[in-house]
Amino acid sequence: MIIVLKPHLSRRDETAVLREIKKLGYKPHIMRGVARTVIGAIGDELKHRSLESLPGLFPQAVESVMPVQKRYKLVSREAHPANSTVEVRGNLIGGRKIQIMAGPCSVESEKQLMTTAHAVKAAGATILRGGAFKPRTSPYEFQGLGLKGLKLLAKARRETGLGIITELLSEDHVQMVAEFADIIQIGARNSQNFQLPIAAARTGKPVLLKRGLSMRIEEWLLAGEYVLSNNNPNLLFCERGIRTFETYTRNTLDLSTIPIIKKEAHSPIVIDPSQGAGRADLVMSMCKGAVAMGADALLIEVHPNPAEAWSDGAQQVSLELFARLMTELKPFIAAAGRD
Amino acid sequence: MIIVLKPHLSRRDETAVLREIKKLGYKPHIMRGVARTVIGAIGDELKHRSLESLPGLFPQAVESVMPVQKRYKLVSREAHPANSTVEVRGNLIGGRKIQIMAGPCSVESEKQLMTTAHAVKAAGATILRGGAFKPRTSPYEFQGLGLKGLKLLAKARRETGLGIITELLSEDHVQMVAEFADIIQIGARNSQNFQLPIAAARTGKPVLLKRGLSMRIEEWLLAGEYVLSNNNPNLLFCERGIRTFETYTRNTLDLSTIPIIKKEAHSPIVIDPSQGAGRADLVMSMCKGAVAMGADALLIEVHPNPAEAWSDGAQQVSLELFARLMTELKPFIAAAGRD
Amino acid sequence: MIIVLKPHLSRRDETAVLREIKKLGYKPHIMRGVARTVIGAIGDELKHRSLESLPGLFPQAVESVMPVQKRYKLVSREAHPANSTVEVRGNLIGGRKIQIMAGPCSVESEKQLMTTAHAVKAAGATILRGGAFKPRTSPYEFQGLGLKGLKLLAKARRETGLGIITELLSEDHVQMVAEFADIIQIGARNSQNFQLPIAAARTGKPVLLKRGLSMRIEEWLLAGEYVLSNNNPNLLFCERGIRTFETYTRNTLDLSTIPIIKKEAHSPIVIDPSQGAGRADLVMSMCKGAVAMGADALLIEVHPNPAEAWSDGAQQVSLELFARLMTELKPFIAAAGRD
Amino acid sequence: MIIVLKPHLSRRDETAVLREIKKLGYKPHIMRGVARTVIGAIGDELKHRSLESLPGLFPQAVESVMPVQKRYKLVSREAHPANSTVEVRGNLIGGRKIQIMAGPCSVESEKQLMTTAHAVKAAGATILRGGAFKPRTSPYEFQGLGLKGLKLLAKARRETGLGIITELLSEDHVQMVAEFADIIQIGARNSQNFQLPIAAARTGKPVLLKRGLSMRIEEWLLAGEYVLSNNNPNLLFCERGIRTFETYTRNTLDLSTIPIIKKEAHSPIVIDPSQGAGRADLVMSMCKGAVAMGADALLIEVHPNPAEAWSDGAQQVSLELFARLMTELKPFIAAAGRD
């Protein structure tokens, strides 16, 4: 930790600060600068108590405290310089091939799901998405088919060979969801509800961790650390848009997360342009950008009839638009040196 | 719902839109304005499917769709014009008296908790706060004493008569926490993890629902609706700061929530200035503002030795500062016409 | 305008609202819905007074007011369905060719500028950027060479044939800057300082209008309207990142503005990845995404020795990195069907 | 500056970094910690080039760079420990008395202005606000009466003795506005358009500097530094709400700025609850909070007939509500130990 002292400090105040730093387990190292004296507190920041309370405790003496170490370890490139990959039913996420995960926001009926599953497979998707448990802003909105939805997903997998990704909403459902899912999705609203990623991690299934609506990169990496530190290396980060002041789109898709996650971490990065924009008419363009910037996979909401969807109709693309999207993406996938 | 059509629309496109509106259960009502034609879709928006997908479905014809009804019912002043109050061990929250909830961020030891409990009681607090289960950004930080912490809180209640508020982190702990707590706190990271407020609500205990880091007022009211619609009228809203671009404070405490919640809803509003600022030196001023603006209760982090706190030391006030704060608040409480 | 009334309204209150609507020049049209009565106020919203004060004036009667018309006209695709293009010294922005604007953040010296100009030209840029007047957060930072900088830019143009883009900071400089610049840049801090875009527009020179740090799309379009309504059709929108809660990057580059501006407006869209990220190591990836999503031009900060730059060294790319970037962009430009 | 190095660094890389630090004028001081080596670069950060480009220049060697010095000097409490006050026609802002500045958003007519001026004076205001030049989001909205408005303000001053505060929009108007105004207001859209605060400062008149919509505290203090460093000590900071994700209010009024500005700077702090909320019904509560938290003055929009205001009708309070507000504020002013 670096402790910046106030100017014109009495020797007695300085001594008191030094004493407290030692008491908390650090070895202080003093640097007297031009305008400020700075103390380097040497010690493992992940083991010792934080010094962040010093400015409050010594308001006349301590101006600010800055951590030096990164707070995450296992997700870091420093710990694991090579790219990690996650295998899902023979499909490698994070490898040369860009994987497409597609399907309806919610599983609504057998007919809706099977129609979609066959269509997205035909267009080139390898993984089927579909919500069986839905987190909804209002208690009066459709909350998902639950177990019945999971069974329909399993049936779609048997028929098409597609892998299945579906959201886990509750610790109570973890065994049930793990039984059916090939990838367990932790949604944006739950990405700092750490009990849920921990429970998902312990099933051993791949975990797709969405970025929370107002999650800083560092917090997202630390949430990923909760997965890896529970002995599950199969982590996928998924950017789905953050909350900003803009109201034209539902969220602001932050595509800069692609090079940032690649730089800081070793796990694959997935982009969800459907949630990211909240508008079907922007999905095509965002997919192109994501592919060009190096995304390892895309997660796209597709519905046979978006106008009559039971949830989030505005952001689901039709089967026709999805097929066109897959065709238009091809030159960008090639330009990115991917398959 | 209000559907705004694009200008220069063909009759055929208009007919198609009208047909879809009727199909989804609404009765359309056309208004031809100067620059735009607008359709009022008459029907209960809480029962029928949303029309939000129309701009995507008819991109040439539909410009935008605006909901008319409020999405929340039970939390609304329309449903319940009078103020609601919540009783906790003989103390009324939402009545004439401003209730002070105070105590450490985390329960750390018997000595730490008892010292704090006696001190905050002596200064005028009626409810003791203390975290037994702690949601921490990093897996390497102190996660709380768990059941042992709950038992210490119960002991402090027996010794002092203070009510107890503590956070619920996991559905798996709901029975355990409900056994010990007088108020169950749902933290900011879990306020849209709806399974948790539902589980808390079903215990029948009062539920304090913190505003999420990037939760709009409407979303907060709807999260409250999850509590009330599970047959628990004992809801408390708690503002604890939102996430903005500002970095001087950890969060931006939004005190305008006090008049807004009073206007829109009937449940009491609690202010948490400790989380709100993340800095002990701003707590005093924020408490004064909160009281002046009509807060029903304050939730303040107090620690016998903030520098050595196991979590969030920077924002906890010392016992001395807390006692001074309680004294300085008095004229503002009187000015607000409260006790 | 749409006026949503409160439920259970007295006939007298309704009459008072109707009277006020008429008084302000609108023709009211009543729609009685299931849960709410809604009034459509028919009239030109750009001519009449706004009705936004009604909820304040009739707090018991009016719940909310929603505008129906778009507030912008000239920038809108409705007014001008085809793409607009802007010509700069024989280079068309908004045409098939993606134009690259590159150069140092600040003009620092003849040597620095000429080295950069020749290098960016060799790599394929057609327009040279360089700040002569610099808006700096602190008064103690380098504020630009002023007129001397403009003269150096003119010299670089003579030597290389590159067009010149430079920022206008003050109405006092408008003649001077217009004399030297081929494109006048209005920076993010001044995009709602409307006097400046107006003054720039009146010179007749092309105006590049950066998005403000916290400007909504609608506000940006309206700022563009200030340019077009001052009889200057040569408008360029430039996204350079918005301010969010994220601290890893200096700003959050919002690439969704590319399809949005293309949809709502007819003027070209330029992406500035240097300001957008504030980090040179992210520029390459962002350029690829911008090109894939349909950007018409890129604005890139390039410096012969970023470490010794007089401003914003962290975000300027070296000449070598710029040359590599131009090479790596080629397949993405081809994939986008551009030259 | 503090330079954090990457782990496992070669001696050669370290040497290269040290060489660059010396080249830029700093004296490096090495601290070898447990997980990281840190270099303290000793030297005046306000004089030397920033080291922020090092992570870009040495991506394998430098992890991050942190400044140590504060970037502002003259506004700082360190430079001027006592409170500053600003005198306006015999009224002291920043003294024991809380000053009330009130009046219409825009000057519309002699009758409107005189009615308001007499009413706000009778209720206790000492300064009259009124916009003669108005920055409007759309070019089709009322832009102010200009010189005619200034003359009406001067007439109101003669009749009532109230001081005058009005906004400066353009450098071209600076002499004209300074001739009439007692306080020159720099609006939120112009607070980082530094030419304008500089021009205002040079008139010698008191300058009220609004916080920009997305301005961090540090940036606001630095904008104030532009005023003080142009030899004008009469600076007022004015908080008027920041832009966040919330849509219920137009802006989020950040009342924590009151204790923060008091702590960091010596100039008075003014609160504008009208812009802050954008809703007249929240103004009363916000004024109470502002007074309780230590605001030195309030800036309130008042209009004889808000429904027919030419600008921002939704946020202006009526004469009656203003009179009631002044009465209800009294006990809070007393509680705060002010007059």
Side-chain angles (χ1 to χ4, degrees):
Chain A
M1 298 250 171
I2 299 293
I3 296 97
V4 182
L5 298 182
K6 298 225 167 189
H8 320 304
L9 198 63
S10 73
R11 183 62 61 171
R12 178 205 270 193
D13 277 346
E14 193 178 297
T15 308
V17 174
L18 289 171
R19 198 183 312 124
E20 188 68 31
I21 290 170
K22 287 178 202 158
K23 198 168 155 194
L24 292 169
Y26 295 87
K27 186 162 160 279
H29 179 122
I30 300 181
M31 282 190 300
R32 302 202 186 274
V34 173
R36 290 281 188 280
T37 291
V38 163
I39 303 174
I42 295 174
D44 188 340
E45 298 177 10
L46 300 184
K47 281 198 204 137
H48 297 295
R49 198 66 40 80
S50 167
L51 297 173
E52 62 180 355
S53 61
L54 292 184
L57 192 64
F58 300 100
Q60 304 313 317
V62 177
E63 196 166 284
S64 59
V65 170
M66 301 180 286
V68 161
Q69 274 179 249
K70 288 191 180 173
R71 295 165 74 195
Y72 44 91
K73 296 189 292 191
L74 303 175
V75 296
S76 168
R77 280 264 175 211
E78 289 176 15
H80 189 295
N83 285 339
S84 292
T85 55
V86 174
E87 201 196 309
V88 177
R89 301 210 153 237
N91 301 296
L92 211 59
I93 306 174
R96 235 186 104 77
K97 187 175 177 201
I98 294 180
Q99 303 292 343
I100 308 296
M101 310 176 182
C105 179
S106 303
V107 178
E108 297 169 6
S109 69
E110 179 164 350
K111 190 180 159 205
Q112 172 241 24
L113 188 65
M114 296 307 154
T115 309
T116 310
H118 285 289
V120 301
K121 176 160 193 195
T126 50
I127 295 165
L128 177 67
R129 62 149 289 152
F133 296 96
K134 298 296 303 172
R136 302 306 300 275
T137 304
S138 161
Y140 308 118
E141 294 166 341
F142 174 60
Q143 313 269 328
L145 294 183
L147 178 59
K148 190 181 152 196
L150 293 175
K151 288 182 177 166
L152 289 174
L153 287 166
K155 185 169 180 194
R157 175 172 49 203
R158 281 195 306 273
E159 285 199 11
T160 61
L162 293 166
I164 295 297
I165 176 169
T166 196
E167 181 165 355
L168 174 67
L169 264 200
S170 163
E171 292 168 77
D172 290 353
H173 306 150
V174 68
Q175 292 315 321
M176 196 201 309
V177 169
E179 190 187 324
F180 292 93
D182 296 304
I183 305 174
I184 299 178
Q185 174 180 321
I186 301 296
R189 290 182 185 84
N190 282 308
S191 47
Q192 285 193 300
N193 164 22
F194 302 116
Q195 310 314 302
L196 209 57
I198 292 172
R202 289 182 178 162
T203 66
K205 293 271 177 171
V207 176
L208 180 139
L209 182 68
K210 291 208 167 180
R211 185 182 184 190
L213 271 78
S214 58
M215 218 178 195
R216 295 207 179 105
I217 302 283
E218 187 196 27
E219 294 166 334
W220 195 18
L221 293 168
L222 281 164
E225 193 85 9
Y226 270 99
V227 174
L228 295 192
S229 66
N230 279 282
N231 296 315
N232 186 334
N234 296 308
L235 172 66
L236 303 166
F237 288 104
C238 179
E239 160 70 22
R240 46 76 74 203
I242 54 173
R243 180 154 279 185
T244 68
F245 59 81
E246 183 57 66
T247 51
Y248 188 95
T249 46
R250 191 162 151 187
N251 297 295
T252 298
L253 187 71
D254 181 4
L255 289 172
S256 72
T257 49
I258 302 171
I260 294 170
I261 290 291
K262 289 278 169 217
K263 185 184 169 84
E264 296 295 330
H266 51 86
S267 299
I269 170 86
V270 182
I271 297 294
D272 174 349
S274 306
Q275 290 283 344
R279 297 172 57 126
D281 60 347
L282 301 178
V283 167
M284 169 84 81
S285 178
M286 286 172 167
C287 287
K288 291 177 183 173
V291 163
M293 292 177 72
D296 293 306
L298 302 174
L299 181 62
I300 305 172
E301 296 190 8
V302 181
H303 194 285
N305 184 356
E308 294 172 23
W310 296 5
S311 61
D312 288 348
Q315 72 199 29
Q316 304 198 53
V317 302
S318 64
L319 304 181
E320 296 69 32
L321 180 52
F322 180 71
R324 187 151 61 80
L325 188 155
M326 293 294 281
T327 305
E328 288 198 24
L329 274 185
K330 275 178 193 160
F332 295 97
I333 292 173
R338 306 289 281 262
D339 298 331
Chain B
M1 297 254 170
I2 298 293
I3 296 96
V4 182
L5 299 183
K6 299 226 165 186
H8 319 304
L9 199 62
S10 73
R11 183 62 61 170
R12 178 202 268 194
D13 278 346
E14 193 177 299
T15 308
V17 173
L18 288 171
R19 197 181 315 123
E20 188 68 31
I21 290 171
K22 285 179 203 159
K23 198 166 156 195
L24 292 169
Y26 295 87
K27 186 161 160 279
H29 179 124
I30 300 181
M31 282 190 301
R32 304 203 183 275
V34 172
R36 290 282 188 282
T37 292
V38 163
I39 302 174
I42 296 174
D44 188 340
E45 298 175 11
L46 299 185
K47 280 197 206 137
H48 297 295
R49 198 66 41 80
S50 167
L51 298 173
E52 63 180 355
S53 61
L54 292 184
L57 191 64
F58 301 99
Q60 306 311 317
V62 177
E63 194 165 288
S64 59
V65 170
M66 301 180 285
V68 161
Q69 273 178 249
K70 289 189 179 173
R71 294 165 74 195
Y72 44 91
K73 296 190 292 192
L74 302 174
V75 296
S76 167
R77 278 267 174 209
E78 288 176 16
H80 188 295
N83 285 339
S84 291
T85 55
V86 174
E87 202 196 308
V88 177
R89 304 213 151 233
N91 300 295
L92 212 59
I93 306 174
R96 237 186 100 77
K97 188 175 175 199
I98 294 179
Q99 303 291 345
I100 309 296
M101 310 175 181
C105 178
S106 302
V107 178
E108 297 167 8
S109 69
E110 179 162 352
K111 189 177 161 208
Q112 171 240 26
L113 188 65
M114 297 307 154
T115 310
T116 311
H118 285 289
V120 301
K121 179 166 190 189
T126 51
I127 294 165
L128 178 67
R129 63 149 289 153
F133 295 97
K134 297 297 302 172
R136 302 305 300 277
T137 303
S138 161
Y140 308 116
E141 293 166 341
F142 173 59
Q143 313 269 329
L145 295 182
L147 178 59
K148 187 180 155 198
L150 294 175
K151 287 183 177 167
L152 290 174
L153 287 166
K155 184 168 182 195
R157 174 169 53 201
R158 281 195 306 274
E159 284 199 12
T160 61
L162 293 167
I164 295 297
I165 176 169
T166 197
E167 181 165 354
L168 174 67
L169 264 200
S170 163
E171 293 168 77
D172 289 353
H173 306 148
V174 69
Q175 292 314 321
M176 195 201 308
V177 170
E179 191 186 326
F180 291 93
D182 296 305
I183 306 175
I184 299 178
Q185 174 181 319
I186 302 295
R189 291 184 184 81
N190 282 307
S191 47
Q192 286 193 301
N193 164 20
F194 302 117
Q195 310 313 304
L196 207 58
I198 292 172
R202 289 184 178 160
T203 67
K205 292 272 176 170
V207 176
L208 180 137
L209 182 67
K210 290 209 169 179
R211 185 183 184 189
L213 270 78
S214 59
M215 218 179 194
R216 296 209 178 102
I217 302 281
E218 188 197 26
E219 294 166 333
W220 195 17
L221 292 167
L222 281 164
E225 193 85 8
Y226 270 98
V227 174
L228 296 192
S229 67
N230 278 281
N231 296 315
N232 186 334
N234 295 309
L235 172 66
L236 303 166
F237 287 104
C238 179
E239 161 71 22
R240 46 77 74 204
I242 54 173
R243 179 154 281 184
T244 69
F245 58 82
E246 182 58 64
T247 51
Y248 189 95
T249 47
R250 191 162 150 185
N251 297 294
T252 298
L253 188 71
D254 182 4
L255 289 173
S256 72
T257 48
I258 303 171
I260 293 170
I261 290 291
K262 288 281 170 215
K263 185 184 169 85
E264 297 294 330
H266 51 87
S267 299
I269 171 85
V270 182
I271 297 294
D272 174 349
S274 305
Q275 289 283 343
R279 297 172 56 125
D281 60 349
L282 301 177
V283 167
M284 169 84 82
S285 178
M286 287 175 167
C287 287
K288 291 177 181 172
V291 163
M293 292 178 72
D296 293 307
L298 302 175
L299 181 62
I300 304 171
E301 295 190 7
V302 181
H303 194 284
N305 183 356
E308 294 173 23
W310 296 4
S311 60
D312 288 348
Q315 71 199 29
Q316 304 198 54
V317 303
S318 64
L319 304 182
E320 298 68 34
L321 180 52
F322 180 71
R324 187 151 61 80
L325 187 154
M326 292 295 281
T327 305
E328 288 199 24
L329 273 185
K330 276 179 192 158
F332 296 96
I333 291 173
R338 305 290 281 263
D339 297 333
Chain C
M1 297 254 171
I2 299 293
I3 296 98
V4 181
L5 299 182
K6 298 226 167 188
H8 318 305
L9 198 63
S10 74
R11 184 61 64 168
R12 180 204 265 193
D13 277 345
E14 191 177 299
T15 307
V17 173
L18 288 171
R19 199 183 311 122
E20 189 68 32
I21 290 170
K22 286 178 201 160
K23 199 169 157 193
L24 292 169
Y26 296 86
K27 187 161 159 278
H29 179 123
I30 300 180
M31 283 191 300
R32 302 203 185 277
V34 171
R36 291 281 189 280
T37 291
V38 163
I39 302 174
I42 296 175
D44 189 340
E45 297 176 11
L46 299 184
K47 281 198 203 136
H48 297 294
R49 198 65 44 78
S50 167
L51 298 173
E52 63 180 353
S53 61
L54 293 184
L57 192 64
F58 300 100
Q60 305 311 317
V62 177
E63 194 166 285
S64 60
V65 171
M66 301 181 286
V68 161
Q69 274 178 250
K70 288 189 179 173
R71 294 165 73 195
Y72 45 91
K73 296 189 292 192
L74 304 173
V75 296
S76 168
R77 279 264 174 211
E78 288 177 17
H80 189 294
N83 284 341
S84 292
T85 55
V86 174
E87 202 196 308
V88 177
R89 304 211 152 235
N91 300 297
L92 212 59
I93 306 173
R96 235 186 102 79
K97 188 175 176 200
I98 294 180
Q99 303 291 344
I100 308 296
M101 311 176 181
C105 179
S106 302
V107 179
E108 296 169 8
S109 70
E110 181 164 348
K111 190 178 160 208
Q112 172 239 25
L113 189 65
M114 297 308 155
T115 309
T116 311
H118 285 288
V120 301
K121 178 163 189 193
T126 51
I127 295 166
L128 178 67
R129 62 149 290 152
F133 296 97
K134 297 297 304 171
R136 301 306 300 275
T137 304
S138 161
Y140 308 117
E141 293 166 340
F142 173 60
Q143 312 269 328
L145 295 182
L147 179 58
K148 190 180 153 198
L150 293 175
K151 287 181 177 167
L152 289 174
L153 287 166
K155 186 169 179 194
R157 174 171 52 201
R158 281 195 307 274
E159 285 199 12
T160 60
L162 293 166
I164 296 296
I165 177 168
T166 196
E167 181 166 355
L168 175 67
L169 264 201
S170 162
E171 291 168 77
D172 290 355
H173 306 149
V174 68
Q175 292 314 321
M176 194 202 306
V177 170
E179 192 186 325
F180 291 93
D182 297 304
I183 305 174
I184 299 178
Q185 174 180 321
I186 302 296
R189 291 182 183 82
N190 282 307
S191 48
Q192 284 193 300
N193 164 22
F194 303 117
Q195 310 312 302
L196 209 59
I198 292 172
R202 289 185 178 159
T203 67
K205 293 270 177 171
V207 176
L208 179 137
L209 182 68
K210 290 209 169 178
R211 185 182 185 189
L213 270 76
S214 58
M215 218 178 195
R216 295 207 179 104
I217 302 282
E218 187 196 27
E219 294 166 335
W220 195 18
L221 293 167
L222 281 164
E225 193 85 9
Y226 271 99
V227 174
L228 296 191
S229 66
N230 278 281
N231 296 316
N232 187 333
N234 296 308
L235 172 65
L236 303 166
F237 287 104
C238 179
E239 160 71 20
R240 45 75 77 207
I242 54 173
R243 180 155 280 185
T244 69
F245 58 82
E246 182 57 68
T247 51
Y248 189 95
T249 46
R250 193 163 150 185
N251 297 294
T252 298
L253 188 70
D254 181 5
L255 290 172
S256 72
T257 49
I258 302 171
I260 294 171
I261 289 292
K262 288 281 169 214
K263 184 184 170 87
E264 296 295 330
H266 50 86
S267 300
I269 170 86
V270 182
I271 296 295
D272 175 348
S274 306
Q275 290 283 344
R279 297 173 58 127
D281 60 347
L282 301 178
V283 167
M284 169 82 83
S285 177
M286 285 173 168
C287 287
K288 291 178 183 173
V291 163
M293 292 177 72
D296 293 307
L298 302 175
L299 181 61
I300 304 172
E301 296 191 8
V302 181
H303 194 285
N305 184 355
E308 292 172 25
W310 296 5
S311 58
D312 289 347
Q315 71 198 31
Q316 304 197 53
V317 302
S318 65
L319 304 182
E320 296 68 34
L321 179 53
F322 180 71
R324 186 150 61 81
L325 188 155
M326 291 295 280
T327 305
E328 287 199 24
L329 273 185
K330 274 177 193 160
F332 295 96
I333 292 173
R338 305 290 280 262
D339 297 332
Chain D
M1 298 255 170
I2 299 294
I3 295 96
V4 182
L5 299 182
K6 299 226 165 185
H8 319 303
L9 200 62
S10 73
R11 184 62 63 169
R12 177 204 269 195
D13 278 345
E14 192 177 300
T15 307
V17 173
L18 289 170
R19 198 182 314 122
E20 188 68 31
I21 290 171
K22 286 179 201 158
K23 197 167 158 196
L24 292 168
Y26 295 87
K27 187 162 159 278
H29 179 123
I30 300 181
M31 282 190 300
R32 304 205 183 274
V34 172
R36 291 282 188 277
T37 291
V38 163
I39 303 174
I42 295 174
D44 188 341
E45 298 176 11
L46 299 184
K47 281 199 203 132
H48 298 293
R49 197 68 41 79
S50 167
L51 298 174
E52 62 180 353
S53 61
L54 293 185
L57 192 64
F58 301 100
Q60 304 312 319
V62 178
E63 192 164 289
S64 60
V65 171
M66 302 181 285
V68 161
Q69 273 179 251
K70 288 188 179 176
R71 294 165 73 195
Y72 44 91
K73 296 189 292 192
L74 303 173
V75 296
S76 167
R77 280 263 174 212
E78 288 176 15
H80 189 295
N83 285 340
S84 291
T85 56
V86 174
E87 201 195 310
V88 177
R89 304 214 150 233
N91 300 296
L92 212 59
I93 306 172
R96 234 187 102 78
K97 190 178 173 197
I98 294 179
Q99 303 292 344
I100 309 295
M101 311 176 181
C105 178
S106 302
V107 178
E108 296 168 8
S109 71
E110 180 164 350
K111 191 178 158 207
Q112 173 240 24
L113 189 65
M114 297 307 155
T115 308
T116 311
H118 285 290
V120 301
K121 178 165 190 190
T126 51
I127 294 165
L128 178 67
R129 62 150 288 152
F133 296 96
K134 298 296 304 171
R136 301 306 300 276
T137 303
S138 161
Y140 308 117
E141 293 167 340
F142 174 60
Q143 312 269 328
L145 294 182
L147 179 58
K148 190 180 153 197
L150 293 175
K151 287 181 177 167
L152 289 174
L153 286 166
K155 187 169 178 194
R157 174 169 54 200
R158 283 195 305 276
E159 284 199 13
T160 61
L162 292 166
I164 295 297
I165 176 169
T166 197
E167 181 165 354
L168 174 68
L169 265 200
S170 162
E171 291 169 78
D172 290 353
H173 305 149
V174 70
Q175 293 314 320
M176 195 201 308
V177 169
E179 192 187 325
F180 291 93
D182 297 305
I183 305 174
I184 299 178
Q185 175 180 320
I186 302 295
R189 289 181 186 83
N190 282 307
S191 48
Q192 285 193 301
N193 164 20
F194 303 116
Q195 311 312 304
L196 209 58
I198 292 172
R202 288 182 178 162
T203 67
K205 293 270 176 171
V207 176
L208 179 138
L209 182 69
K210 290 207 168 180
R211 184 183 184 188
L213 270 78
S214 58
M215 217 178 195
R216 295 209 178 104
I217 301 281
E218 188 196 28
E219 294 166 334
W220 195 17
L221 293 167
L222 281 164
E225 193 86 8
Y226 270 98
V227 174
L228 295 192
S229 65
N230 279 281
N231 296 315
N232 187 334
N234 296 307
L235 172 65
L236 304 166
F237 288 104
C238 179
E239 160 71 22
R240 46 74 74 204
I242 54 173
R243 179 153 281 184
T244 68
F245 59 80
E246 183 57 65
T247 51
Y248 189 96
T249 47
R250 193 163 150 184
N251 297 294
T252 299
L253 188 71
D254 181 4
L255 290 172
S256 72
T257 49
I258 303 172
I260 294 170
I261 290 291
K262 290 280 170 215
K263 183 184 171 85
E264 297 293 330
H266 51 87
S267 300
I269 171 86
V270 182
I271 297 294
D272 175 349
S274 305
Q275 290 282 344
R279 299 173 56 126
D281 60 347
L282 301 179
V283 167
M284 169 83 82
S285 177
M286 286 174 167
C287 287
K288 291 177 182 173
V291 163
M293 292 177 72
D296 293 307
L298 302 175
L299 181 61
I300 303 172
E301 296 191 7
V302 182
H303 194 285
N305 183 355
E308 293 173 23
W310 297 4
S311 60
D312 288 348
Q315 73 198 31
Q316 304 197 54
V317 303
S318 65
L319 305 181
E320 297 68 34
L321 179 53
F322 179 71
R324 187 151 62 79
L325 187 155
M326 292 294 281
T327 306
E328 288 199 23
L329 274 185
K330 275 178 193 159
F332 295 96
I333 293 172
R338 305 290 280 263
D339 297 332

